[in-house]
Amino acid sequence: MTRMFWAGAASLALFAAAPAVAQDAGATLYEAPDPAKLTMPKLDFAPTPVDEQNYDKYFYFHREGTSFAQAYDDVRECDALASGSNIYLGANSAAMSSAMSTYGPLAGGVGGALGSAMADAIFGSAMRREQRRVSLRNCMGFKQYHRYPLNADLWKEFNFEEGLGRKKENTRLNALALQALVASGPKPMTKELGL
């Protein structure tokens, strides 16, 4: 035990003696697309009572005085954190049909697995989507972005949900670029929702 302590102390001493790496304040983590090639999504709508009940699902972020490149970094980082804990099992109708044709529809083990997969598809998917939304809100709130309301149809134009599987990378990156455009764009005229 003592040897491990000394080895740890020696490692800390080496770490403390290492020169600090200067980080450029203007440096970005991700190579951002050209914002001039993006079209700002429509954000104006007349809210209905149904819209107002769904603001926990349908919203966007904005931070005044933020560059597009910084917003893109923040959106990408928060997206990675929000979707990093999800597990996608790939339960779909083709996988279920294949298992049933191979093992028979009455096989207890397969039936249990299929039942679990179906329950996960119904309930797990919704829980993963909610978990992602909450994590995204916390991360962007920590980065001092404000949250604003949107209706479902407008939200779907530049956002995505992942419950049963991960979106293709092009789809994700296009949506994240538009989210960054909105987050760094003109200040919204609508009321802020809070975290």
Side-chain angles (χ1 to χ4, degrees):
M1 185 68 130
T2 306
R3 198 177 308 164
M4 286 175 37
F5 170 76
W6 286 109
S11 296
L12 285 175
L14 286 174
F15 178 74
V21 177
Q23 190 170 13
D24 180 11
T28 57
L29 297 173
Y30 302 100
E31 186 176 334
D34 181 0
K37 295 181 179 178
L38 301 173
T39 303
M40 179 66 80
K42 184 177 186 270
L43 303 173
D44 296 331
F45 69 102
T48 67
V50 172
D51 292 331
E52 291 171 359
Q53 291 175 353
N54 288 316
Y55 287 161
D56 62 327
K57 293 181 187 179
Y58 306 117
F59 52 83
Y60 64 94
F61 298 103
H62 182 269
R63 185 173 73 190
E64 200 166 0
T66 300
S67 70
F68 172 77
Q70 183 61 57
Y72 188 70
D73 271 0
D74 292 340
V75 167
R76 291 274 314 259
E77 181 182 9
C78 288
D79 172 66
L81 290 170
S83 61
S85 63
N86 286 338
I87 298 171
Y88 300 110
L89 301 175
N92 59 32
S93 60
M96 289 185 227
S97 296
S98 172
M100 285 183 10
S101 66
T102 303
Y103 300 107
L106 300 177
V110 174
L114 291 175
S116 294
M118 289 174 65
D120 180 67
I122 296 167
F123 302 110
S125 173
M127 292 301 291
R128 283 189 289 276
R129 288 192 307 269
E130 181 180 1
Q131 177 188 21
R132 182 181 183 283
R133 280 191 303 269
V134 169
S135 296
L136 191 62
R137 285 168 60 173
N138 287 335
C139 181
M140 293 296 280
F142 175 77
K143 291 179 176 290
Q144 299 180 344
Y145 284 83
H146 301 282
R147 192 170 66 96
Y148 294 90
L150 206 55
N151 75 14
D153 293 332
L154 295 177
W155 183 89
K156 290 172 187 172
E157 293 296 318
F158 64 104
N159 289 277
F160 54 87
E161 286 191 308
E162 297 175 319
L164 291 176
R166 189 169 171 88
K167 294 290 182 193
K168 292 184 179 178
E169 204 59 20
N170 270 355
T171 302
R172 295 178 66 79
L173 293 178
N174 289 338
L176 295 174
L178 291 175
Q179 291 170 32
L181 188 66
V182 169
S184 62
K187 184 174 181 175
M189 294 293 133
T190 58
K191 184 179 177 183
E192 181 187 331
L193 291 173
L195 197 62

